[in-house]
Amino acid sequence: MDMHIGCVTGTNRCLPHLSSGPQWGSTSLGVLLCQACSIIHKKILPANKVKHLSSWEVPELKVGAGREVLKEEWVKAKYERQEFVDPMKKQSYQEEVREGWLMKLGRDNGLFLKRKFVLREKDGKLKYYPKEDEKDPKAVINVETMNPTFQPEKIGHRNGLQITYQKEHRTRNLFLYHEDGKEIVDWFNTIRAVQFKWLKLAFPAEGDQELLKRLPRNFLKEGFMEKTGPKKTESFKKRWFTLDKRRLLYFCDPLDAFPKGEVFLGHKDNGYSAGLGLPKGTESNGAWKHGITLDTPKRCYLFTCESEGDQKDWLDHFNAIINTAMSPHDYAQESLLKHK
């Protein structure tokens, strides 16, 4: 049944194509597709985002795995629990207040500890407390700055959820999980539902379909690259990179709470460019030799990748962003980063 999740037709017309199982998939959406639906998805998405399963690479396979618990719980909700039979029934993620216990990775000790989380729709804030009887929360997070993503491989648990948010113009990561897949999916859906309601207040003239486009998405790409310092003479060091829309963040470790640095990717007309290789005379003293040069008005960044395929994929993502027109929000974000 879950094979139909990725099919845009959503009817039995897909069935003849599924006799041997779906052979296509969307690497950006993380869903399987029959051949007929893959053709439709190619018209909607960039062609290189819809591929035959035999040509998927390891990072793309991780996208599908990351959303497995979400798809599994959707199927259970529809067919086992029959949650969608009564359209008037209020779903668990539509409650005005949600609270419960989640396992959270400690910022300094590397241990997952039980923490109480409370999300209130009215004030649009997520709070968490170290103990049940604590009066003051450890953190208060505005939902409009949050991006929840499923990260089972990174967190090491099939129900792993990463929440990335902004506080005082600084990026912070929370790494969470719950043993019950329904519980972690309900938290994910509740966050998204509250975000959507706040978007409706912020943009009253926009329709639901337009507002859905404003909801946070999965990161465009994550993975390791090597990076040198601003003088270009420092050693190339292995870093974990996260590409979140126009923001390229890098960390010492994938489970770091805070990034070591952040690069904004603006438009090509404003002095941003990305190309293959390293500048002449640059000595790549790291383990990897497939170079990328990223030029910004502020600085030139040099990276190396482990493989030629990884190099091409990063470069394609960089250039796709650099060639896309910037929104007013993008310009505001660029200005903030310039003054950091």
Side-chain angles (χ1 to χ4, degrees):
M1 290 182 289
D2 55 336
M3 289 181 183
H4 292 281
I5 293 176
C7 293
V8 294
T9 56
T11 70
N12 289 334
R13 285 177 290 178
C14 297
L15 289 174
H17 304 282
L18 294 176
S19 56
S20 59
Q23 299 298 309
W24 295 80
S26 164
T27 63
S28 58
L29 300 177
V31 296
L32 301 179
L33 304 166
C34 66
Q35 185 176 5
C37 289
S38 73
I39 295 171
I40 298 172
H41 273 259
K42 282 182 180 179
K43 294 177 181 178
I44 302 170
L45 301 168
N48 65 346
K49 296 296 181 185
V50 180
K51 296 183 178 182
H52 193 275
L53 296 184
S54 62
S55 64
W56 278 38
E57 297 179 4
V58 173
E60 294 165 340
L61 291 171
K62 292 176 183 175
V63 173
R67 299 185 181 181
E68 192 60 37
V69 65
L70 185 61
K71 292 188 288 183
E72 182 179 315
E73 290 302 322
W74 185 88
V75 171
K76 287 181 179 179
K78 183 175 182 180
Y79 296 103
E80 286 186 7
R81 300 190 293 269
Q82 298 187 343
E83 292 179 4
F84 311 133
V85 172
D86 181 2
M88 302 304 293
K89 180 184 176 182
K90 199 170 188 178
Q91 302 298 329
S92 56
Y93 58 82
Q94 295 175 314
E95 299 295 336
E96 293 181 1
V97 179
R98 180 174 189 84
E99 62 179 79
W101 293 87
L102 298 172
M103 301 301 290
K104 174 190 169 292
L105 181 66
R107 187 178 71 181
D108 302 316
N109 58 20
L111 300 175
F112 278 94
L113 299 173
K114 203 172 180 182
R115 296 290 182 256
K116 182 183 177 182
F117 284 78
V118 179
L119 176 60
R120 297 182 185 277
E121 177 191 310
K122 186 177 180 180
D123 58 12
K125 288 179 171 54
L126 174 68
K127 303 175 183 179
Y128 77 86
Y129 304 79
K131 298 178 182 178
E132 173 73 42
D133 56 355
E134 290 276 353
K135 292 184 178 179
D136 298 322
K138 184 76 173 177
V140 179
I141 308 166
N142 291 324
V143 293
E144 63 260 32
T145 73
M146 292 169 51
N147 186 8
T149 59
F150 287 101
Q151 298 279 5
E153 183 164 345
K154 186 193 292 187
I155 293 172
H157 194 285
R158 73 180 305 272
N159 300 332
L161 183 70
Q162 176 178 336
I163 294 180
T164 301
Y165 66 95
Q166 297 283 311
K167 186 171 184 179
E168 297 175 352
H169 310 304
R170 191 181 185 192
T171 300
R172 169 78 158 96
N173 290 327
L174 297 180
F175 300 100
L176 315 167
Y177 76 83
H178 195 283
E179 292 296 341
D180 184 356
K182 181 183 184 302
E183 183 71 13
I184 202 70
V185 168
D186 281 349
W187 273 103
F188 174 83
N189 285 333
T190 302
I191 292 169
R192 302 271 288 180
V194 173
Q195 287 178 320
F196 185 73
K197 288 179 180 178
W198 277 81
L199 282 172
K200 293 188 85 164
L201 292 175
F203 304 96
E206 292 190 8
D208 287 357
Q209 292 304 313
E210 289 302 310
L211 292 176
L212 286 173
K213 295 176 184 178
R214 292 182 178 271
L215 283 173
R217 304 285 178 176
N218 266 17
F219 300 130
L220 295 175
K221 183 173 173 64
E222 285 194 291
F224 284 108
M225 288 193 289
E226 291 183 330
K227 172 188 173 295
T228 188
K231 295 180 181 177
K232 316 294 187 297
T233 56
E234 301 93 336
S235 298
F236 277 79
K237 295 180 180 179
K238 191 175 180 181
R239 297 286 184 250
W240 177 263
F241 285 81
T242 296
L243 184 58
D244 186 7
K245 296 182 180 176
R246 290 188 176 273
R247 295 162 54 239
L248 179 66
L249 303 99
Y250 53 95
F251 306 80
C252 287
D253 185 89
L255 293 176
D256 281 350
F258 298 98
K260 277 191 69 68
E262 184 173 337
V263 185
F264 183 84
L265 302 182
H267 191 262
K268 60 183 180 180
D269 292 345
N270 299 330
Y272 294 87
S273 66
L276 283 173
L278 303 175
K280 229 176 181 182
T282 303
E283 184 180 348
S284 177
N285 49 21
W288 299 341
K289 305 301 178 185
H290 303 280
I292 293 176
T293 298
L294 177 63
D295 281 306
T296 75
K298 190 175 179 180
R299 176 182 156 187
C300 173
Y301 294 86
L302 305 182
F303 311 121
T304 55
C305 302
E306 185 175 18
S307 68
E308 189 175 338
D310 208 21
Q311 174 195 41
K312 182 180 182 303
D313 196 36
W314 276 111
L315 190 60
D316 286 347
H317 277 85
F318 291 159
N319 281 319
I321 295 168
I322 290 169
N323 289 320
T324 300
M326 290 173 59
S327 68
H329 175 75
D330 292 333
Y331 280 108
Q333 194 170 60
E334 181 185 35
S335 178
L336 285 172
L337 288 174
K338 280 181 179 178
H339 293 93
K340 266 192 173 184

